Amino acid sequence: MDFAFTDEQVMIAETARAFFTENATSERTRAAMAADGIDQALWQAFCQELGLSGIGIPEAAGGAGLGLVELAIIAEAAGAQVAALPLLGSLALCAQAIAAGGSAGQQEQYLPGLLSGEVIAGYVHDAALKADGDALTGEAGFVAHGGSAGLMVVTSNTGAWLVAADAPGVTVTPLTTMDQTRPFARVTLDGAQGEPLADPAAAIAAAHRAGFVTVAAEGLGVAQAALDRTVAYARERVQFGRPIGSFQAYKHRLADMVVEIEQARSAVYWAACAVDEGSDEAGLAVHAAKSFAADTAFKCAGDMIQLHGGIGFTWEHDAHLYFKRARALQSILGSGNWHREQVAAMILGEAA
Amino acid sequence: MRLGFSQAEEDFRAECADWLNAQMAGEFADIKGITTLTEKAERRKEWEQHLGANGWGCIGWPKEWGGRDATLAEQVIFAEEYARAGVPGRVNHIGIELAGPTLLALGTEEQKRRFLPDIAAGKTIFCQGFSEPGAGSDLASVRTKARLEGDEWVVEGQKIWTSLAHISDWIFVVARSEEGSKGPKGLTFLMMELGQPGIEIRPIRQINGDAEFNETFFDGARCPADSLIGAVGDGWRVAMTLLSFERGVSTLGQQMAFRNELDGIIAAAKANGTANDPLVRQRIARAEIGLQLMRYGALRMLSNTDHSKVDGAALTYKIQWATWRRNLGELAMDVLGQAAEVTDNPEYEWDMLPNLFLYSRADTIYGGTNQIQRNLIAERGLGMPREPRGDA
């Protein structure tokens, strides 16, 4: 029984936190929002200088080894700054899919570009995708950072393919997206040529596990940062002759945020650990984590706005960045209700 | 970071489970599955003595005081297997989890010799005398008085919510020993024997018809001058030390009992078809997730060996489980429907789930209300300025 970070994990967490706090500043994020939603310089620095992009990818496949616990640590730190990065699409979904389901040749060909940040990948899921041989026809409306992607990992419920973004039959339409730090694109495939991944089931399973954990960990980071920033404000802002943080109505709301966050923290690291250890609980844990932590992020970001009063409603304040990211975390990769229904099916059986 | 236990720990788990299951299938089968605190109290005292005689009374204590020097992980495992085997909760949990550890930390050698072996052996049952009418969670408002008369303390006053006082042997009392003192100053922490003239115990009937706690009246009750823990006037510090033991290993055992309650709801929902209702499915899923998060929250808390620092998980745990269980009680009633509102028992005794619904209204009150807990989280955990307080 040792459900606490190892010394190495503590070090990774400190490094990641320092990196994102220093570099993923509000100014840079806002500059990225005005462009394609990616802080390109930050992404290059993350992939090439920090050396953490290969976390969760086996060393044999050119990664850094380690596991989802370490990936969660990174995602939490990135989430805390609402960093404008393709961490979810490129690394958690696509690189994981290729590492788990790609042949040795596919790993060799595609992973180095993703891990170095030279290629950004978008994860395209269309349950009703039509595959005529490997000619793919279908559409997905919400591909995170799809407008910047050079490579697509395309999945249906049964198959998984690699598709070059500039291949004939591929149309990518960037969309104006509420969360400007992770804009969506619509990807349309009209007989586009796909290269099948060697083991599609393994690819999809790995992408989902890592995706759910990463979204949950980002949510944890968002929630904690929303709390931390609100706590700082509660100390300095004086109303009726007292710091507002001394009012019980205010501090009880902060306390409720802490209660949710502590549970979300347990959820994220339970899920990451359960996947890394191949535990029987892994399926339950990733659905629990994704639904719970995304809800926690939304609650805390919403409270952040309320507890800041009018300033929290302005474009100038960062609260809306957290609020929009949190809402996006709730809907991406399956709603909370969908994830809870997966849990219900595990413990109650399918509904009649 | 890892979730699992080592092979040696798993072997220990099997040893615990085998022994506990054998007892519940054999000599003590008549108390298996009891979920209230008061049912068959005398038989359960015999069970506690049986536990003690077999070395399972207080496994986390040092060997010299009747324990096993069990590691934290072993204590966690024992607590889980204890609850999983359907063994009733400990009637002496105050002695084991609060009085004993307080004596270990702050008692004299003589006090340890006098009390600890008998607590471990299940022969001395303790209850606590903290709360008073009008004081509630505000422990600094204690008005019960203790004055030294020769070589004895004489105590006057009233305590309330003294759980299981009517079946206990001893009580610890926080009393005001300095005339005119206010707030946390001038309090003394005394160990007093029950059953003496001058102590009257009146059970309080509660919402579910049971009576597990009491009003306890002190009218010239006495104890020897050396019955105090800590120094005269040092009672506040002793009480705070004691309360810090409350976030212990037993949380894991508590969760096994919660598991049984949730499993009862799952079984009922499957039996009456509400398991097909999408809203019920969502609520059951939330309850399942909440239970798992309590378990991993407790493991995180216990894995954090630096207990000196204020730990977020530890501060939030009380609100987590109390709120979760109150919601569970409401879910149980919604799943069972009106069938839950009648019982065949003419004595107003309720099955597990309706009883859970009624009893869980206490969970968000005792041990510090949810509101007090929120103040603690905000003030101690987040460093928020204190709410202005009265002139205590």
Side-chain angles (χ1 to χ4, degrees):
Chain A
M1 184 191 89
D2 199 4
F3 193 35
F5 285 158
T6 61
D7 290 345
E8 189 188 19
Q9 287 163 343
V10 169
M11 208 178 70
I12 293 172
E14 284 169 0
T15 304
R17 201 174 302 133
F19 174 80
F20 286 112
T21 307
E22 190 178 328
N23 298 300
T25 58
S26 177
E27 293 73 24
R28 288 180 60 171
T29 298
R30 285 163 184 266
M33 283 159 57
D36 63 353
I38 296 177
D39 182 341
Q40 294 287 354
L42 181 67
W43 188 236
Q44 296 307 318
F46 173 79
C47 291
Q48 290 168 19
E49 289 158 35
L50 199 63
L52 293 174
S53 62
I55 269 179
I57 304 291
E59 286 177 89
L66 304 172
L68 288 196
V69 170
E70 288 79 8
L71 181 61
I73 289 171
I74 304 292
E76 181 182 343
Q81 293 294 118
V82 211
L85 297 177
L87 184 69
L88 177 66
S90 262
L91 297 185
L93 292 167
C94 294
Q96 286 285 329
I98 295 168
S103 65
Q106 287 170 328
Q107 291 176 12
E108 210 170 305
Q109 184 179 349
Y110 294 103
L111 284 177
L114 294 190
L115 300 192
S116 70
E118 283 157 36
V119 179
I120 286 167
Y123 189 78
V124 179
H125 180 74
D126 177 5
L129 186 84
K130 287 194 183 68
D132 180 7
D134 292 320
L136 309 175
T137 300
E139 184 180 80
F142 308 101
V143 178
H145 284 133
S148 308
L151 179 71
M152 307 285 174
V153 171
V154 178
T155 65
S156 68
N157 284 350
T158 51
W161 297 264
L162 295 160
V163 176
D166 57 3
V170 178
T171 309
V172 178
T173 313
L175 304 169
T176 301
T177 306
M178 190 184 279
D179 173 10
Q180 295 169 293
T181 65
R182 191 183 281 154
F184 291 131
R186 182 167 54 246
V187 174
T188 308
L189 305 173
D190 182 11
Q193 188 63 32
E195 176 186 339
L197 282 169
D199 185 344
I204 293 168
H208 284 183
R209 285 193 303 262
F212 296 157
V213 168
T214 298
V215 168
E218 272 188 29
L220 173 62
V222 164
Q224 182 71 55
L227 173 66
D228 292 345
R229 288 172 186 231
T230 308
V231 162
Y233 184 70
R235 283 209 187 89
E236 74 187 27
R237 172 77 172 147
V238 173
Q239 284 271 270
F240 307 105
R242 286 158 56 184
I244 54 176
S246 71
F247 289 101
Q248 205 170 56
Y250 199 102
K251 63 174 65 159
H252 280 197
R253 202 139 171 184
L254 293 177
D256 285 339
M257 292 163 83
V258 177
V259 173
E260 294 296 312
I261 288 168
E262 287 302 330
Q263 292 176 86
R265 193 176 304 285
S266 301
V268 167
Y269 289 104
W270 169 41
C273 237
V275 171
D276 284 347
E277 293 179 14
S279 159
D280 295 342
E281 290 178 341
L284 181 69
V286 296
H287 291 301
K290 199 290 185 179
S291 55
F292 195 95
D295 285 354
T296 300
F298 184 72
K299 174 190 162 49
C300 292
D303 283 355
M304 181 190 194
I305 293 177
Q306 177 66 27
L307 293 176
H308 275 76
I311 184 73
F313 182 70
T314 63
W315 189 270
E316 171 192 351
H317 197 277
D318 284 346
H320 72 103
L321 307 187
Y322 288 91
F323 184 71
K324 291 165 183 171
R325 173 67 72 87
R327 178 55 243 189
L329 292 173
Q330 285 186 303
S331 35
I332 201 166
L333 297 180
S335 72
N337 286 346
W338 181 81
H339 284 281
R340 282 186 291 272
E341 173 52 36
Q342 308 311 304
V343 171
M346 289 177 196
I347 58 178
L348 292 168
E350 299 292 338
Chain B
M1 174 173 271
R2 73 193 166 89
L3 297 177
F5 291 89
S6 71
Q7 188 55 50
E9 287 161 351
E10 290 300 340
D11 292 345
F12 178 75
R13 183 185 293 281
E15 183 192 344
C16 295
D18 288 349
W19 188 80
L20 289 164
N21 286 325
Q23 310 312 305
M24 285 299 112
E27 192 186 340
F28 288 94
D30 58 315
I31 58 168
K32 183 180 178 182
I34 290 177
T35 54
T36 70
L37 276 174
T38 53
E39 198 178 335
K40 294 190 180 169
E42 290 309 311
R43 268 298 274 163
R44 289 162 69 183
K45 287 185 182 177
E46 291 169 25
W47 161 248
E48 306 249 336
Q49 290 176 15
H50 182 69
L51 271 174
N54 286 277
W56 295 104
C58 301
I59 65 169
W61 291 11
K63 277 194 179 124
E64 65 170 316
W65 301 120
R68 286 192 181 217
D69 287 320
T71 64
L72 193 57
E74 288 168 342
Q75 295 174 58
V76 163
I77 287 166
F78 181 74
E80 288 190 329
E81 294 311 314
Y82 187 93
R84 199 198 308 270
V87 189
R90 304 288 287 271
V91 290
N92 198 22
H93 88 99
I94 298 286
I96 299 158
E97 286 157 31
L98 299 181
T102 304
L103 283 159
L104 279 167
L106 302 172
T108 63
E109 280 305 299
E110 195 192 330
Q111 287 171 333
K112 291 179 192 172
R113 268 199 302 280
R114 177 168 179 200
F115 288 107
L116 292 176
D118 280 353
I119 294 174
K123 291 174 185 161
T124 300
I125 311 286
F126 260 93
C127 65
Q128 64 165 308
F130 274 176
S131 292
E132 295 187 6
S137 295
D138 183 8
L139 194 54
S141 296
V142 157
R143 282 184 299 184
T144 293
K145 288 191 174 67
R147 65 175 191 279
L148 206 49
E149 256 186 35
D151 56 1
E152 284 187 321
W153 288 100
V154 180
V155 176
E156 310 278 348
Q158 181 189 351
K159 295 291 177 179
I160 196 167
W161 318 127
T162 43
S163 296
L164 301 186
H166 55 307
I167 61 168
S168 296
D169 307 302
W170 283 77
I171 184 169
F172 50 77
V173 176
V174 178
R176 199 159 288 286
S177 55
E178 190 184 314
E179 194 75 37
S181 65
K182 280 187 168 179
K185 291 177 185 150
L187 298 172
T188 294
F189 189 102
L190 297 170
M191 317 277 275
M192 301 191 78
E193 192 160 12
L194 293 167
Q196 61 167 299
I199 299 184
E200 188 195 344
I201 295 167
R202 294 185 201 155
I204 301 171
R205 196 166 188 226
Q206 62 206 41
I207 191 168
N208 62 344
D210 198 5
E212 71 181 45
F213 42 60
N214 304 269
E215 294 176 288
T216 304
F217 297 86
F218 299 84
D219 181 12
R222 286 166 185 272
C223 60
D226 62 359
S227 299
L228 76 174
I229 298 185
V232 174
D234 198 22
W236 177 262
R237 185 178 69 90
V238 178
M240 290 303 118
T241 303
L242 176 145
L243 289 176
S244 73
F245 296 125
E246 268 197 319
R247 56 160 162 159
V249 168
S250 60
T251 55
L252 274 301
Q254 178 194 38
Q255 287 163 26
M256 282 297 165
F258 295 167
R259 172 85 262 167
N260 291 338
E261 291 167 348
L262 176 53
D263 285 347
I265 292 173
I266 289 171
K270 284 180 175 172
N272 71 10
T274 49
N276 292 319
D277 178 336
L279 291 178
V280 168
R281 294 172 73 78
Q282 286 288 316
R283 289 170 70 189
I284 289 178
R286 281 182 193 275
E288 176 73 32
I289 291 168
L291 181 61
Q292 297 287 351
L293 299 191
M294 278 191 270
R295 177 162 203 268
Y296 288 100
L299 289 175
R300 265 196 320 123
M301 181 168 90
L302 292 168
S303 298
N304 171 16
T305 47
D306 180 11
H307 289 294
S308 60
K309 68 174 187 181
V310 177
D311 177 74
L315 279 175
T316 61
Y317 183 71
K318 172 73 206 309
I319 290 189
Q320 270 184 53
W321 76 256
T323 308
W324 178 89
R325 192 158 181 258
R326 192 177 64 189
N327 291 341
L328 193 75
E330 293 173 5
L331 173 60
M333 296 303 281
D334 286 343
V335 164
L336 292 170
Q338 283 190 307
E341 294 179 33
V342 293
T343 171
D344 296 335
N345 188 307
E347 300 301 319
Y348 205 81
E349 283 178 11
W350 295 91
D351 288 344
M352 178 175 72
L353 295 180
N355 189 62
L356 155 70
F357 167 66
L358 292 172
Y359 189 86
S360 61
R361 304 320 285 194
D363 291 338
T364 49
I365 297 171
Y366 71 73
T369 63
N370 273 16
Q371 287 68 35
I372 288 287
Q373 298 292 337
R374 288 189 178 100
N375 282 356
L376 279 176
I377 292 168
E379 292 173 7
R380 283 180 45 198
L382 299 175
M384 287 294 100
R386 282 168 64 110
E387 185 88 359
R389 281 163 167 77
D391 58 349

